[in-house]
C-alpha cells in the first residue's frame, strides 16, 4: 500500500491530486461495543498511550490532510496508532515503572 501511495502521488502530482495513506491503529468505535469491557481494556493496554484512539482524533488528521497543508504529505503514509507500531507489548514495559506505577521521565531544565 505504501508503494502504491508513492506511485500514485508521483503520477497525479501534476494534476494537483495529493495521495496520502493513513495507517490507522486501534480506535474506540461503536463496533467495539459488542466486545466485553475486558477485551477493550486489553486492547488499550497494548498501546503505549494506554487508550484506544478516538474518532475525533482520526477526523482531525483527515481534516489536516484535506487542508492546504495536506499537500506537504503527498506520497506519505501516516501512522495514527498511539505509537503502537513502535512497541509490541503492554505499557509500560516490565521493570520500567517504579513502585507507584509511574514511568520515569527525563529531568527538564
Amino acid at each position: 500500500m505504501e508503494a502504491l501511495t508513492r506511485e500514485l502521488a508521483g503520477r497525479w502530482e501534476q494534476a494537483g491530486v495529493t495521495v496520502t495513506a493513513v495507517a490507522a491503529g486501534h480506535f474506540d468505535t461503536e463496533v467495539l461495543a459488542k466486545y466485553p469491557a475486558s477485551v477493550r481494556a486489553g486492547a488499550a493496554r497494548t498501546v503505549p498511550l494506554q487508550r484506544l484512539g478516538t474518532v475525533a482524533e482520526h477526523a482531525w488528521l483527515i481534516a489536516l490532510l484535506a487542508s492546504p497543508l495536506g499537500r506537504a504529505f503527498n506520497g506519505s503514509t501516516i501512522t495514527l496508532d498511539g505509537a503502537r507500531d513502535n512497541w509490541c507489548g503492554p505499557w509500560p514495559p516490565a521493570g520500567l515503572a517504579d513502585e507507584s506505577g509511574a514511568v520515569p521521565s527525563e529531568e527538564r531544565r
Side-chain angles (χ1 to χ4, degrees), residues 26-29 32 40 43-44 46-47 50-54 57:
H26 290 53
F27 281 79
D28 188 11
T29 65
L32 291 181
R40 295 191 308 270
T46 68
V47 179
Q50 290 294 277
R51 65 174 180 80
L52 300 176
T54 67
E57 289 167 333

Side-chain angles (χ1 to χ4, degrees), residues 6 13 18 22 26 28 34 39 41 47 49 54-55 66 68 105 107:
R6 288 189 299 273
E13 186 173 24
T18 301
V22 175
H26 290 53
D28 188 11
K34 66 183 177 182
V39 171
V47 179
L49 288 179
T54 67
V55 173
S105 61
E107 289 186 30

Side-chain angles (χ1 to χ4, degrees), residues 13-109:
E13 186 173 24
Q14 295 302 318
V17 176
T18 301
V19 181
T20 307
V22 175
H26 290 53
F27 281 79
D28 188 11
T29 65
E30 64 277 358
V31 173
L32 291 181
K34 66 183 177 182
Y35 296 104
S38 60
V39 171
R40 295 191 308 270
R45 282 193 302 273
T46 68
V47 179
L49 288 179
Q50 290 294 277
R51 65 174 180 80
L52 300 176
T54 67
V55 173
E57 289 167 333
H58 192 271
W60 276 109
L61 174 59
I62 301 306
L64 171 77
L65 294 174
S67 76
L69 180 59
R71 295 196 55 72
F73 294 95
N74 194 32
S76 299
T77 298
I78 300 171
T79 303
L80 183 62
D81 68 353
R84 187 174 190 270
D85 190 40
N86 298 319
W87 176 254
C88 182
W91 186 262
L96 182 63
D98 62 19
E99 300 81 34
S100 69
V103 176
S105 61
E106 64 185 23
E107 289 186 30
R108 305 276 178 169
R109 290 188 233 169

